[in-house]
Amino acid sequence: MAAAACVPVRVCHQEIVKFDLEIKAAVQDIRDCPGPLSALTELNAAVKEKFRHLRGRIQELEQMAKEQDKESEKQALLREVENHKKQMLSNQAAWRKANLACKIAIDNSEKDQLLQGRDSLRQRKTTKESLAESASNITESLMGISRMMSQQVQQSEETVQTLANSSRTILEANEEFKSMSGTIQLGRKLITKYNRRELTDKLLIFLALALFLATVLYILKKRLFPFL
């Protein structure tokens, strides 16, 4: 690609690193969240949005990698894409664990509050409904991410197959080139041999002509000047 294309790649890398750090910080906020559940829901919404941006940047980087002219640069970028995907999966696992830990802490806190009066019973019911809704939202988000990763894996398999086909084509072309080189060398040897044979034939013709002329001169001399 042109040198100008390096700028979007560098910017894309920087944004991926930025979103990765922001997600890590947000996951830590979830882990430390004391409640209530509405605060946890807001934090999860923010994390979900950051994951959406991160996935978009990773897809952009993968597309840039496929558009590289040099195979070495293309493969290097694709390896970085795979590393970013693995890091994203690690962040998702940390996000899930942080949510579970936070929900357990909130649930324990609510249980303590239940011991203090009847009003806490209503709050617990609301909390369970919110927890179920939040869990459903997280499950839906994770399913969407899983589908996206499945598509990426399929695209990676197709890329590997394309590379294998290209390698086969190059090997076949190399074999044809070797065969043509052998034919060219044989032709060169035949031409050299023919040139040598032609030179020998010319020399023999010249000697035969000279002998013929000498014989003619000798015969003329004997007939015209027998006394010599």
Side-chain angles (χ1 to χ4, degrees):
M1 292 181 71
C6 296
V7 176
V9 171
R10 184 170 62 252
V11 171
C12 194
H13 272 301
Q14 292 173 351
E15 291 185 353
I16 289 174
V17 172
K18 183 189 75 169
F19 286 124
D20 179 71
L21 294 175
E22 290 178 353
I23 288 172
K24 284 181 170 63
V27 168
Q28 185 61 43
D29 291 339
I30 291 175
R31 190 178 290 110
D32 298 335
C33 178
L37 189 61
S38 58
L40 176 61
T41 301
E42 291 178 2
L43 289 173
N44 277 320
V47 173
K48 183 177 180 181
E49 184 66 15
K50 293 181 188 299
F51 268 118
R52 186 180 68 82
H53 288 298
L54 178 60
R55 285 195 302 273
R57 294 299 178 271
I58 291 175
Q59 290 174 349
E60 289 178 8
L61 183 61
E62 185 173 24
Q63 183 61 34
M64 292 177 187
K66 293 179 180 179
E67 294 173 355
Q68 294 296 315
D69 295 330
K70 293 183 178 180
E71 188 64 22
S72 58
E73 295 179 359
K74 177 180 179 180
Q75 292 301 323
L77 284 177
L78 287 175
R79 285 193 294 270
E80 291 182 14
V81 169
E82 291 300 322
N83 290 334
H84 288 314
K85 289 179 180 178
K86 291 178 181 178
Q87 185 60 46
M88 184 173 68
L89 288 175
S90 176
N91 288 335
Q92 289 169 0
W95 179 30
R96 188 164 51 249
K97 291 179 180 179
N99 265 281
L100 292 174
C102 182
K103 288 174 183 178
I104 290 173
I106 292 174
D107 190 58
N108 289 335
S109 175
E110 291 173 352
K111 287 179 180 178
D112 293 338
Q113 293 176 5
L114 285 174
L115 299 176
Q116 298 176 3
R118 295 180 178 177
D119 293 338
S120 299
L121 186 59
R122 296 195 196 94
Q123 185 178 358
R124 183 180 180 184
K125 182 179 179 181
T126 303
T127 301
K128 286 185 176 180
E129 292 175 353
S130 299
L131 282 172
E133 182 180 358
S134 178
S136 177
N137 292 336
I138 293 174
T139 301
E140 181 181 355
S141 175
L142 292 177
M143 289 178 64
I145 294 173
S146 177
R147 285 193 295 270
M148 186 273 289
M149 296 304 297
S150 177
Q151 293 174 356
Q152 297 301 327
V153 169
Q154 183 178 358
Q155 291 178 1
S156 299
E157 292 177 350
E158 292 175 355
T159 301
V160 171
Q161 184 62 36
T162 300
L163 291 174
N165 293 336
S166 299
S167 299
R168 252 193 323 271
T169 302
I170 292 173
L171 289 174
E172 291 174 358
N174 187 36
E175 291 299 326
E176 291 180 2
F177 177 76
K178 288 180 179 178
S179 177
M180 291 177 63
S181 298
T183 303
I184 292 172
Q185 289 178 0
L186 179 60
R188 186 182 294 113
K189 290 180 180 179
L190 291 175
I191 291 173
T192 302
K193 184 177 180 181
Y194 173 77
N195 289 335
R196 291 177 181 174
R197 184 65 177 272
E198 184 180 10
L199 179 61
T200 302
D201 292 344
K202 288 181 179 179
L203 182 60
L204 291 175
I205 292 171
F206 176 76
L207 291 175
L209 182 61
L211 180 61
F212 174 75
L213 291 175
T215 302
V216 170
L217 289 174
Y218 178 78
I219 293 172
L220 290 175
K221 176 184 175 182
K222 288 295 182 180
R223 291 189 176 183
L224 296 177
F225 307 100
F227 51 86
L228 293 178

